[in-house]
Amino acid sequence: MDITINSRGVERVRAGHLWVYRSDVREPKDAAQRGGSVVRVVDERRRFIGRAFYSDRSEISLRMLTQRDETIDRAWWRQRIEEAARRRAGLV
């Protein structure tokens, strides 16, 4: 399911901000959209922006996971955690 955000939300995401506020969400007035779902985020012209966790209760409606059109699955999470662990390994 796609969630459409307005231009202000798009600008924030492209500037590196990881949150999209409820006031910037144009859709999903769809009852099928449940909090905790991973959704495709698009702009008002239906262009892909990224993938995010959707919250139907928080003022922060979208928490961006990636700006790439990739599947968010167990392998994606494993890769992200392993990369984070490698980056931190040299800090100790």
Side-chain angles (χ1 to χ4, degrees):
M1 174 58 98
D2 291 352
I3 303 254
T4 303
I5 61 175
N6 64 22
S7 60
R8 184 174 57 186
V10 171
E11 288 175 21
R12 284 189 185 132
V13 170
R14 290 195 174 138
H17 201 285
L18 299 177
W19 295 348
V20 178
Y21 299 101
R22 182 180 298 158
S23 60
D24 295 330
V25 173
R26 293 284 184 192
E27 296 174 12
K29 313 306 185 217
D30 183 349
Q33 212 45 257
R34 302 220 179 246
S37 299
V38 175
V39 297
R40 288 181 81 246
V41 180
V42 297
D43 67 11
E44 293 171 314
R45 295 173 72 186
R46 310 304 291 168
R47 292 178 296 202
F48 180 82
I49 303 300
R51 294 202 182 262
F53 276 125
Y54 171 67
S55 173
D56 56 350
R57 296 189 179 169
S58 175
E59 191 60 36
I60 302 166
S61 291
L62 298 168
R63 288 169 171 83
M64 298 302 297
L65 297 170
T66 182
Q67 290 186 34
R68 292 187 220 147
D69 196 2
E70 55 189 326
T71 301
I72 308 300
D73 57 8
R74 183 179 293 264
W76 185 89
W77 283 107
R78 179 180 297 273
Q79 179 183 3
R80 297 294 288 243
I81 291 168
E82 288 172 353
E83 287 172 3
R86 277 193 298 275
R87 283 193 300 269
R88 288 167 178 78
L91 297 177
V92 177

